[in-house]
Structure formats: structure tokens, C-alpha cells
Amino acid sequence: MQEISRAAAAINILDDYLKGYPLEKALKQWFKKNRFAGSNDRRNIRDLVFDILRKRLILYYPFQINEYVENGRILVLSYLFLYKKGFFSLEDIKENKYLSPPINNNELIILNNINRLVKKAPKNISLNYPEFLEEKLSQSLGNNFNAIMELFLKRAPVYLRINQNKINLKEAKIKLENQGIFSEICPSSNYALKVISGEKLIKNSSSYQLGEVELQDLSSQLTTELIQISSGKKILDFCAGSGGKALAIASRLRNKVDIFAYDLNNLKYKNLIYRTNKAGANITIIDSNQLIKYKNFFDIVFVDAPCSGTGTWRRDPKIKWELNDQKLTLLTKNQYSIVKQACSYLKNGGFLIYVVCSLLEDEGDLIIRKYLLHHKNYSKVKSGIFHPINASDGFYFSVLKITE
């Protein structure tokens, strides 16, 4: 497919999304109806749709101030004129039969003046974040606020975590290079590789297939490298999901640790079991009926709580347009409840490690402060935030210690 035809495909997908279809469903429906699109086309169309959603507000703005209703067509046209004008001529756009109806005079006037128009956009529109989050994000990020919002407009880098139960960092890097996947070692981690080129080859590589490397963001990896997580401990990965954190810990400590994994959603266990076996990790999976036996048992409970995902906007831009105050309130209530439940499985002297892929204090420090206020036998050992300036995705972490 030509680039301009991929842009036309993005219009249809975005239209379905704006009508309320889940984005993944809209993508799958288009791919199913248009089987002529090869794997490379599908990947590029998906990347295009995601990039447009990262920049959604500024793309709509020139048409919004001219009282247009938002749709896929104007988002794509704005994107082409703002970010791809060097790749297409106006004639390419006018003559493409899939961009129907043709551009009219009113649209053309807006597009020809688009660079001047976007300079007038309010801050939240030019940086593409929901207006109701401005104060919250500003409080959390301080002087880094603008810079991080700018970085969130770009695609996230791809990181790999090496599996020390199967391979070391240097061997993994060389083996990947022999398969066309080039990377660099991350100075902040002993186990992370930042992919420079060849990311499309990762999932079919022997390194990935054999469980020698896993896809995992740098910030996510760093939350499992805290010094409290050490050999010989009994560790519970609460809210384990598909086991990314548990697998990282098993790798870093070379299985010299007793790791238990629990998630309220039993459907996630199938993928967790598969990944555990592929990685050669020693992880005991427990369900809700078994969990009750482990009160006051663990040295560490690791909680990667469900959250707004504000730290992952580069990877999943749709979620920033689906969040509102009501959803945030429900999330914070659930997070506090999870922390209370998780702490009941800690033994005296144990550590709670609380993590969210969020940059909002509501989901991070405020949850911890509230818990400490009502539980005087806990103290905070350490807390911090990872973000694209000092790591990659946005993550809050806090370490609490329980004492009698």
C-alpha cells in the first residue's frame, strides 16, 4: 500500500473509534475486511493511528475553532499537513481515490493556514493532555512537566529484559545482533537493552522464542531492582497479571527466591504459566482460595496496582482520552483497598512495594500517605518516580516497612 492509502485506512479506523468502538476492535475489523493489507501495511497503519491519537487535540484544534465536528478525516488531514507535508504533495492527497470526498475549499483554507492556527492553541491542546489533569500533572512533575508532555508525543523506545536464568547481558546483545536486532546497554540497569533497530524481528527471533529475552519497559524493570528485593526472601507478586514483575525478579535473583504470584483474574494465569515455563522461572501460582493461607507470611509483597496508565501514554495513547474524574476516583478507591489487603500478607519486618504506571499523585503518594496515616506500624523507606527523562515510562514506586 502507498503511504497515502494507509492514511485513508486510518480515517476509517479512527471514525469507528470516535463512534465508540474499542480501538483494538476497530483495527481488527478493518484488517479483516481488507485482507490485501500485508503484515507491514498493518503494522504501519497501526503505528499511524496511534501517532494520530497521541496528537489528537492539536490535530483537531484548527478545525474545532472553525466549528467542525471531530472525525477521522480531519485528524488525518491535519496530521499529513503538520507532520508529513514533506512526504506528500497536495496533488497526492487530492488525487487519492480513497480520500473521499475530495478536499473542499474550506478545508483547504484551514490546512494551508494550519501552522499559524496551531500556534494559538492553549497549552493542554498543544501538548495533548486532558485539561482536567493539568494541575495534577503539574504538581507531580514540577519543572519537568512540559518536557515530559513533549516526550509523550513521541513513540516509546523498545526495551528488552534479559533472562539471567538462560543468558547474560553481553551474550544476549551479541546473539540479537546476529539476528538483525541491534541494541545498546542501559547504564541504569544491569539487565536492560534498548533496541536501536530491528524491533520488528524480536518476536520471531530465537532469543525471544527461547525465553532468553522479554519485552519489558525500562521503568518497569527498574521497579523490580530495588535493594529490598533480594535472594532468600519469600515474595508475593500481588496483582501479578501475566507475571512481568515476578519473571523479572526470578531472572535477577536467578531463582534463588521463593516467588508466589496471585491475581484476582484467573484468566490471566494461562499466559502467566506459559511465560513462566518459557523463562525457566520458579514461580508458585496461587488462587483466591489458597491466598488466605498466607496471612503474615511474606517478606515482600509487590503490588503493581491497576491504575490510569498516565505513565504509558506513549504506548497506549487512547487511554488519556478515556480517563475522567469519575474513573480516577474509582481507581484510587480500589488502589487503597488493594494496599490494605496486600499488607495483611506481610510478616513483621517485611516490605510492601507499591507500584503504579501513573504520574498522578492521587494514585501514588496520596495513596501511601493515607495508608501511613491510618497504620502507624508502617514507615516509608523510599519512594520515587520514573519518567522519560530519567528512565522511560512513567512509574511511581514506594517501599513501606512494617514493624510492631
Side-chain angles (χ1 to χ4, degrees), residues 55 83 135 140 159 162 164 168 198 242 246 272 292 366 368:
K55 303 170 174 68
Y83 299 101
E135 184 176 349
S140 177
Y159 290 92
I162 63 111
Q164 286 206 126
N168 65 44
S242 58
L272 173 54
I292 192 70
L366 293 183
I368 296 303

Side-chain angles (χ1 to χ4, degrees), residues 34-176:
N34 299 273
R35 296 189 182 275
F36 61 84
S39 59
N40 190 52
D41 291 321
R42 293 195 297 272
R43 184 166 48 247
N44 281 298
I45 290 168
R46 182 186 182 87
D47 288 347
L48 175 60
V49 169
F50 272 55
D51 203 29
I52 288 170
L53 288 177
R54 286 186 196 102
K55 303 170 174 68
R56 178 181 175 182
L57 293 186
I58 197 63
L59 297 178
Y60 178 37
Y61 179 75
F63 286 88
Q64 182 182 22
I65 59 177
N66 283 281
E67 300 184 348
Y68 279 72
V69 175
E70 185 183 22
N71 58 49
R73 174 187 172 84
I74 60 178
L75 292 178
V76 169
L77 287 175
S78 288
Y79 183 81
L80 294 179
F81 271 71
L82 276 173
Y83 299 101
K84 297 292 182 179
K85 203 165 184 181
F87 298 89
F88 305 103
S89 69
L90 182 57
E91 291 305 313
D92 289 333
I93 298 172
K94 283 183 175 180
E95 292 175 6
N96 188 279
K97 63 181 179 180
Y98 298 107
L99 283 170
S100 179
I103 296 177
N104 60 46
N105 287 335
N106 289 334
E107 290 172 333
L108 197 56
I109 291 170
I110 294 171
L111 292 169
N112 282 331
N113 289 280
I114 196 165
N115 289 302
R116 178 179 59 81
L117 294 173
V118 297
K119 289 179 181 178
K120 301 177 181 179
K123 183 176 178 178
N124 78 292
I125 290 177
S126 62
L127 292 177
N128 286 274
Y129 59 85
E131 187 176 11
F132 84 97
L133 290 179
E134 181 162 343
E135 184 176 349
K136 295 177 184 294
L137 287 168
S138 183
Q139 286 176 349
S140 177
L141 300 176
N143 293 334
N144 289 322
F145 173 60
N146 285 4
I148 290 172
M149 292 300 103
E150 288 277 6
L151 288 168
F152 273 2
L153 297 179
K154 301 174 182 178
R155 188 180 180 187
V158 174
Y159 290 92
L160 295 170
R161 173 182 54 76
I162 63 111
N163 179 5
Q164 286 206 126
N165 290 314
K166 295 196 172 188
I167 200 167
N168 65 44
L169 189 66
K170 290 183 178 179
E171 288 172 346
K173 186 176 185 296
I174 292 169
K175 187 171 180 180
L176 287 164

Side-chain angles (χ1 to χ4, degrees), residues 291-308:
L291 186 64
I292 192 70
K293 303 174 186 176
Y294 293 97
K295 294 284 185 180
N296 310 117
F297 178 80
F298 293 100
D299 299 294
I300 295 171
V301 176
F302 192 108
V303 176
D304 185 358
C307 69
S308 65

Side-chain angles (χ1 to χ4, degrees), residues 276-296:
T276 298
N277 291 335
K278 186 172 83 165
N282 294 335
I283 297 174
T284 302
I285 298 170
I286 54 177
D287 60 25
S288 297
N289 293 326
Q290 297 167 309
L291 186 64
I292 192 70
K293 303 174 186 176
Y294 293 97
K295 294 284 185 180
N296 310 117

Side-chain angles (χ1 to χ4, degrees), residues 185-304:
I185 294 172
C186 299
S188 58
S189 171
N190 293 322
Y191 319 101
L193 292 170
K194 182 179 182 180
V195 177
I196 304 303
S197 65
E199 63 183 68
K200 297 173 184 177
L201 304 173
I202 292 172
K203 289 191 175 181
N204 289 325
S205 70
S206 62
S207 299
Y208 183 83
Q209 295 288 335
L210 294 172
E212 295 170 347
V213 299
E214 285 268 6
L215 287 160
Q216 188 171 20
D217 182 71
L218 175 62
S219 297
S220 177
Q221 294 187 50
L222 291 174
T223 64
T224 68
E225 296 180 23
L226 297 166
I227 60 172
Q228 287 77 19
I229 304 173
S230 56
S231 299
K233 299 288 181 66
K234 292 181 175 63
I235 300 176
L236 173 62
D237 183 4
F238 205 68
C239 308
S242 58
K245 304 299 191 301
L247 290 167
I249 294 169
S251 167
R252 183 169 74 86
L253 301 180
R254 301 177 188 270
N255 281 330
K256 296 175 182 177
V257 62
D258 294 325
I259 303 175
F260 295 73
Y262 166 77
D263 199 280
L264 186 62
N265 184 357
N266 290 345
L267 296 176
K268 295 182 179 181
Y269 286 162
K270 183 178 180 180
N271 193 31
L272 173 54
I273 292 168
Y274 168 76
R275 294 181 70 192
T276 298
N277 291 335
K278 186 172 83 165
N282 294 335
I283 297 174
T284 302
I285 298 170
I286 54 177
D287 60 25
S288 297
N289 293 326
Q290 297 167 309
L291 186 64
I292 192 70
K293 303 174 186 176
Y294 293 97
K295 294 284 185 180
N296 310 117
F297 178 80
F298 293 100
D299 299 294
I300 295 171
V301 176
F302 192 108
V303 176
D304 185 358

